[in-house]
Amino acid sequence: MLHRRLIRLFLTLIAGMVSFVAARAEDAREDFLGELALPGRLVFKMKKGDDPRWAQPDFDDSAWDTVRLRDMPSRDGIYWVRYKIKRRQAVSPELRNGAGDESSLPYTGIFLTLRLTLRKWGAFNPENLRDGFAVSTVASYEVFWDGRLIGRNGRPGATPAEEKAGYLDNLFQLPIEVTAPGEHTVAIRMSSQETGFSSSTYSLNIVMGNFRDLLVVRTRQALLSVVAFGGALVVSLVAGLGWLLAGRRRSLLLLSALCGVAAAMQALQAWRWLFEYPYPWHYPRLVAITLLVGLLGVLLVRFLQEAFAVPRRGWQRGVVVAVMAGAWFVTPIYNAICLVTVSCAFVTALGISFWAVRNGRRGARYVFVGMLISLLLLRLSPRDFLEGTFLFSFGIPMAGCLVVVTLQLNDERRAARQAALATARLEAELLRKQLQPHFVMNTLTALLEVVEQDPRTAVTLIEALAEEFRALARMSGEKLVSLGEELALCRTHLTVMGLRHGAKHVLQTEGTHDNAAIPPAVFLTLLENGLTHQRGQRGAVENVFRLKAEQLGSESGVRYEFFSPGEPMPKKDAEAKGAGVRREGTGMKYVRARLEESFAGRWKLTDGAVEGGWRTVIELEMKEAT
Amino acid sequence: MNVLIVEDEPLVAQRLERFVRELLGVNAGQIRVAEALDEAGARLSEAPPDLLLLDLNLSGADGMELLQRSVAGAFHTVIVSANTDRALEAFEHGVLDFVPKPFTRERLDQALKRATSAGARADYAAKYLAVRKHGRVELIAVDDVVYAQGAGAYSELVLADGRRELHDKTLEKLAAVLPPVFERVHKSYLVRMSAVKALHAHEGSAYEAELKNGARLPVGRTRYKEIREKLR
């Protein structure tokens, strides 16, 4: 039931996400192609130096160098950039086919998002006045429109000391009179002394549109990041609490760290649009984001390794880190580094979850499918994934991780319940064992005889029997009892059986510690088996059972060797005898179940015939495994 | 009466032996004790007892096998056991009695009387008879048996499909465990009454029972009247 509901929810969410992302990606491609297909690109001129006359529309800049907007020089004093645009009309036609709109410029990924949001979020209306001038760049500048200063960002300086850094993003409103149709000259006086990036060039990004629309879009830009931040933060806190309160499981700690890092990263993303920052912060911010993305990838891999108990983790992590580090050297574009990092992490996660599915790990299917979809989303929208689609492309793996942790917690709960039931069953079994007709009725029959023939012995027999029942009642509720108690019970039992058989049974011990902990009735069962299966006890002067204990190695391990004397009886006659019939009958099953209950995976039992009898060896590790 | 006691608990064996001697009195023949049936095997064939007192725990398949071997013998089997769960099953295989432990003298006496009195029957009739064949023991359903013919120390079981099987018990012992529908019509014949079609009287006090399958079996003179009454 749980699974079907989960699957349905998963599918619905995924369908929604994929269509959203695909739509945005579709737009991105279209627009970009549309841009490239523009006839007649704008011409940009640049000149290093500084002269206020260069702002004038009638200044002759034909001698100036032609540049591309992505090749602005960094840390190179003050320089001017000029271009002319023709406006056929005050309002712009559809941006889609770009007809008549010469101010469409090539964009970087982030700016593309801005345009997309313009379109998709309905803020854009082709009828609106195009009086907005948005600039995003790592520079300080002054913008002149037809010689008139329309906006300023910081103060350009010929030397680093002279420049005053401006903000990364700016939006200026053009006075209405300058938006008339005709040719216009845009001149920008700029400098970038604190570019931060090691590269000698940076890009200047300009978008024109309706001022109000651009403003609205800017304020909405951070929306998805803030949502992702909130969600990741909540999950991180919850997982962290879960780790603290539910037994310090490492997978929960990793999940908490993972979501915490995701939240931090999204906070950094959202910061740009929510709180503006001076452009020198851009480079460190990008580096920080890239590092966080790398950390995110590593944590994701680490989490899956932990949750699915994957072997040979070290080299997997090593490979991932190496590829991620390699990306830093391959490309200077931080978006690309992030893309490689995330792709590497996702592919590794995909591989791990595939292995986990093959090896029957709980919840691995969901993670595998989730990673497939995340990779698909990444592929569909490689430019947008850090901001808008991050919520989805990382949200899906997060959901998968949550599912895995939940399922594992559920499994543990069920296992704990089973264990409790098993313990109760063993307790009942122990009580039942000794109240079995075979033991009780035969003892009573023997007692009848002894009462009539030898009353004093009868008294001893009755007292021994009472002591045995008392000890069993005391011990049956425990998972572990002291060896001293167990040996006392064994000796009492031997007394009873000795009186019944008319033989003398003795239990010798060597190297045993009375306060060692063992499960109840383990040696008693071995003793019973010995009495049942061995011959040579009738009429023998003395039957000696031996229990030897020794330390195992350097750990707190112990080795018990139990010897019961006598030649083994033919199986058929042993079968006819009594309870705890075969060697591997209910008696030995009880012993193994009790050992597993208290020493899960840390015990070993072997037995076999030796000269003169039967030997059983039990090895235990007392320490709690970490 | 020779009795073999198979019991591995010395005190219990001691008790059984004492009781048997006391209860049988002058009729007590050889009373022997063995710890297991296998051990007694040799003695069983040398000098078979009239009665076997067997301590049997019917848990597991081997317990059942042991039971079947016992009831295939020429002697009556009385189970003396601590485990009463499968007592009914034991009866269905043809034991004469089932004495639970711990037992009183009186209860054992009851069992012994069943073994010694003529005409005494088990509390529950057998559903299967165990026959020894090719060293193994095979179970014959009592429902398939039409009649049994005495053959010295053995009995020949005649089945509905015409097969004949040899059983080690005498007719007298068989009669004790078979259901009451079987009547001893003759010294040498034990017949299922529901298979009898008619009784015939011939000259010279020769009486016959005609079976539904056509066979004709002699009926003892002394028994004729009784049988005729029962048929009506």
Side-chain angles (χ1 to χ4, degrees):
Chain A
M1 257 323 283
L2 174 68
H3 285 191
R4 236 174 283 153
R5 266 190 253 143
L6 261 178
I7 290 171
R8 247 183 274 146
L9 185 65
F10 228 58
L11 288 176
T12 319
L13 282 174
I14 286 159
M17 290 176 198
V18 172
S19 39
F20 180 89
V21 171
R24 286 165 71 111
E26 183 66 26
D27 272 342
R29 244 176 301 134
E30 263 191 19
D31 275 318
F32 201 62
L33 289 175
E35 295 299 298
L36 289 176
L38 267 185
R41 306 267 300 267
L42 290 175
V43 174
F44 300 93
K45 300 278 196 181
M46 187 193 85
K47 185 159 178 74
K48 296 198 185 160
D50 193 15
D51 190 332
R53 288 173 296 161
W54 296 346
Q56 299 310 316
D58 47 11
F59 181 83
D60 177 19
D61 54 25
S62 47
W64 284 19
D65 300 325
T66 307
V67 292
R68 294 180 307 172
L69 278 187
R70 67 183 77 181
D71 294 330
M72 298 293 108
S74 15
R75 297 174 284 266
D76 206 1
I78 300 182
Y79 44 91
W80 287 68
V81 171
R82 286 167 57 100
Y83 66 96
K84 296 190 191 309
I85 68 170
K86 285 193 183 66
R87 275 202 156 160
R88 297 216 186 88
Q89 45 203 100
V91 300
S92 71
E94 291 229 43
L95 271 178
R96 183 175 283 280
N97 54 18
D101 177 13
E102 295 92 329
S103 83
S104 308
L105 305 167
Y107 300 105
T108 63
I110 292 178
F111 244 50
L112 193 56
T113 311
L114 191 61
R115 258 193 81 179
L116 293 172
T117 40
L118 259 178
R119 159 98 33 85
K120 275 294 153 201
W121 291 32
F124 182 71
N125 182 343
E127 302 297 312
N128 289 346
L129 206 57
R130 298 182 77 238
D131 60 345
F133 192 95
V135 184
S136 280
T137 189
V138 285
S140 305
Y141 47 84
E142 291 167 351
V143 180
F144 298 91
W145 182 280
D146 293 334
R148 179 170 156 180
L149 179 69
I150 58 157
R152 157 180 292 149
N153 183 37
R155 190 183 61 222
T159 63
E162 285 174 15
E163 180 182 301
K164 179 164 173 296
Y167 290 107
L168 182 70
D169 303 296
N170 270 293
L171 176 62
F172 307 111
Q173 186 169 31
L174 299 173
I176 200 129
E177 49 275 24
V178 310
T179 59
E183 190 182 81
H184 302 276
T185 306
V186 180
I188 306 174
R189 174 176 179 257
M190 51 199 295
S191 74
S192 173
Q193 299 290 5
E194 296 176 67
T195 321
F197 295 91
S198 53
S199 160
S200 57
T201 58
Y202 62 92
S203 71
L204 170 63
N205 307 304
I206 302 173
V207 164
M208 293 194 62
N210 176 260
F211 174 75
R212 185 199 155 274
D213 292 343
L214 286 170
L215 195 58
V216 165
V217 159
R218 266 179 60 144
T219 58
R220 287 188 192 166
Q221 191 65 14
L223 194 62
L224 285 176
S225 293
V226 170
V227 169
F229 164 75
L233 189 65
V234 165
V235 175
S236 175
L237 286 175
V238 168
L241 270 176
W243 172 77
L244 257 182
L245 301 174
R248 309 247 165 171
R249 313 161 55 82
R250 198 173 299 165
S251 53
L252 273 178
L253 182 63
L254 284 170
L255 186 62
S256 178
L258 191 53
C259 291
V261 168
M265 190 221 144
Q266 287 300 288
L268 278 181
Q269 289 284 21
W271 173 36
R272 173 174 172 178
W273 303 107
L274 289 180
F275 296 112
E276 296 188 307
Y277 53 82
Y279 80 82
W281 291 56
H282 191 56
Y283 170 68
R285 175 174 160 273
L286 278 189
V287 170
I289 289 174
T290 310
L291 285 174
L292 283 177
V293 169
L295 186 59
L296 207 54
V298 172
L299 280 176
L300 177 64
V301 169
R302 182 83 178 79
F303 169 82
L304 289 178
Q305 286 176 334
E306 181 72 30
F308 294 139
V310 176
R312 294 196 297 278
R313 309 177 185 187
W315 71 259
Q316 289 165 12
R317 284 209 290 277
V319 166
V320 168
V321 170
V323 172
M324 289 184 183
W328 282 77
F329 296 101
V330 166
T331 165
I333 302 173
Y334 286 88
N335 214 40
I337 298 176
C338 287
L339 192 60
V340 171
T341 302
V342 171
S343 302
C344 174
F346 279 8
V347 167
T348 310
L350 189 72
I352 290 177
S353 54
F354 181 71
W355 178 93
V357 170
R358 299 280 268 160
N359 282 272
R361 299 288 193 260
R362 279 286 258 161
R365 279 172 295 163
Y366 301 105
V367 175
F368 180 73
V369 170
M371 294 318 307
L372 272 179
I373 291 169
S374 292
L375 276 168
L376 175 69
L377 291 179
L378 202 62
R379 189 84 184 75
L380 277 179
S381 170
R383 297 160 191 277
D384 199 19
F385 78 98
L386 278 181
E387 282 202 285
T389 47
F390 180 84
L391 179 58
F392 305 128
S393 53
F394 252 83
I396 294 175
M398 286 311 105
C401 295
L402 272 176
V403 166
V404 167
V405 169
T406 310
L407 283 176
Q408 285 180 346
L409 279 174
N410 220 25
D411 279 349
E412 274 190 19
R413 250 188 39 233
R414 206 177 308 136
R417 238 196 343 255
Q418 300 280 41
L421 277 173
T423 301
R425 263 201 305 267
L426 282 173
E427 184 181 323
E429 193 179 325
L430 178 52
L431 285 172
R432 219 181 27 236
K433 266 158 74 71
Q434 291 312 320
L435 296 180
Q436 264 171 346
H438 185 259
F439 176 69
V440 175
M441 298 307 167
N442 271 308
T443 307
L444 289 177
T445 311
L447 193 51
L448 279 177
E449 185 68 3
V450 170
V451 158
E452 288 177 9
Q453 303 299 313
D454 186 359
R456 290 213 344 232
T457 310
V459 168
T460 313
L461 182 53
I462 292 172
E463 283 177 346
L465 200 59
E467 178 54 40
E468 185 166 346
F469 286 142
R470 224 178 281 133
L472 276 164
R474 204 169 48 227
M475 283 164 59
S476 65
E478 309 291 331
K479 282 194 197 174
L480 287 172
V481 298
S482 71
L483 185 56
E485 259 185 282
E486 175 79 9
L487 289 175
L489 175 61
C490 288
R491 293 196 164 105
T492 309
H493 186 72
L494 283 177
T495 307
V496 172
M497 294 309 280
L499 287 168
R500 258 173 63 179
H501 292 160
K504 186 152 185 262
H505 301 313
V506 168
L507 174 61
Q508 282 177 356
T509 57
E510 191 186 315
T512 56
H513 297 286
D514 275 352
N515 49 11
I518 48 156
V522 160
F523 293 119
L524 182 67
T525 305
L526 297 181
L527 198 63
E528 282 176 335
N529 275 1
L531 286 167
T532 313
H533 290 87
Q534 306 294 72
R535 272 206 166 145
Q537 286 131 352
R538 322 277 176 266
V541 174
E542 200 180 63
N543 273 305
V544 181
F545 293 82
R546 276 194 281 274
L547 176 65
K548 191 167 85 162
E550 17 175 54
Q551 285 296 107
L552 253 191
S554 55
E555 307 255 323
S556 50
V558 65
R559 179 176 186 274
Y560 291 108
E561 203 179 294
F562 186 88
F563 170 80
S564 49
E567 292 306 312
M569 220 180 257
K571 185 168 152 207
K572 277 202 283 285
D573 293 342
E575 289 290 341
K577 275 292 137 265
V581 164
R582 270 189 294 265
R583 286 282 170 196
E584 276 308 315
T586 46
M588 290 312 282
K589 270 208 277 211
Y590 171 84
V591 168
R592 287 177 198 276
R594 278 290 193 188
L595 287 172
E596 182 62 25
E597 179 191 43
S598 298
F599 297 93
R602 293 177 282 128
W603 61 274
K604 204 165 73 168
L605 189 153
T606 47
D607 59 3
V610 293
E611 192 185 328
W614 188 268
R615 187 181 65 180
T616 310
V617 176
I618 297 179
E619 288 175 0
L620 299 172
E621 267 175 50
M622 307 299 251
K623 245 200 253 203
E624 275 285 294
T626 42
Chain B
M1 170 146 155
N2 298 333
V3 179
L4 174 64
I5 299 173
V6 175
E7 170 62 66
D8 76 324
E9 296 262 343
L11 287 171
V12 181
Q14 184 183 302
R15 191 173 182 74
L16 279 170
E17 191 183 340
R18 206 176 69 240
F19 280 179
V20 166
R21 276 194 208 280
E22 287 173 15
L23 292 167
L24 287 182
V26 294
N27 291 327
Q30 279 213 317
I31 317 289
R32 275 199 284 256
V33 174
E35 279 183 15
L37 196 63
D38 270 1
E39 190 191 288
R43 300 188 210 172
L44 278 176
S45 36
E46 285 165 10
D50 300 299
L51 174 64
L52 172 69
L53 291 179
L54 177 64
D55 171 19
L56 179 72
N57 190 325
L58 289 178
S59 60
D62 280 22
M64 183 49 59
E65 195 202 309
L66 187 58
L67 174 68
Q68 289 173 10
R69 275 196 290 138
S70 309
V71 295
F75 38 81
H76 271 313
T77 302
V78 169
I79 307 286
V80 182
S81 173
N83 196 330
T84 53
D85 286 354
R86 291 163 77 178
L88 188 58
E89 206 175 329
F91 275 113
E92 286 174 355
H93 284 77
V95 303
L96 182 63
D97 206 347
F98 191 106
V99 177
K101 283 182 188 172
F103 49 86
T104 55
R105 234 175 95 117
E106 291 68 34
R107 184 59 184 89
L108 195 62
D109 193 24
Q110 203 181 12
L112 290 176
K113 287 218 160 48
R114 250 190 260 270
T116 50
S117 318
R121 286 199 130 99
D123 277 341
Y124 300 96
K127 284 208 177 123
Y128 310 100
L129 289 177
V131 298
R132 263 194 263 268
K133 276 176 87 169
H134 319 301
R136 278 173 36 246
V137 169
E138 207 180 287
L139 291 181
I140 310 286
V142 165
D143 285 346
D144 287 348
V145 176
V146 180
Y147 68 91
Q149 183 174 357
Y154 302 97
S155 303
E156 197 179 21
L157 304 172
V158 179
L159 308 184
D161 56 8
R163 274 184 4 228
R164 284 161 179 266
E165 305 282 358
L166 276 184
H167 196 286
D168 282 355
K169 287 195 170 65
T170 58
L171 279 186
E172 204 176 310
K173 291 207 162 66
L174 270 182
V177 299
L178 283 174
V181 72
F182 282 85
E183 286 283 352
R184 190 84 176 272
V185 300
H186 187 273
K187 192 175 62 161
S188 303
Y189 289 93
L190 186 60
V191 177
R192 176 192 287 276
M193 292 313 289
S194 53
V196 174
K197 193 159 100 177
L199 275 182
H200 301 291
H202 295 302
E203 299 169 4
S205 303
Y207 300 99
E208 264 185 357
E210 188 191 340
L211 300 186
K212 287 180 183 155
N213 67 3
R216 283 169 177 264
L217 307 176
V219 174
R221 195 159 40 93
T222 44
R223 310 241 38 225
Y224 178 71
K225 270 216 186 83
E226 258 183 74
I227 304 297
R228 204 177 57 188
E229 283 305 315
K230 290 203 173 131
L231 270 181
R232 271 204 198 111

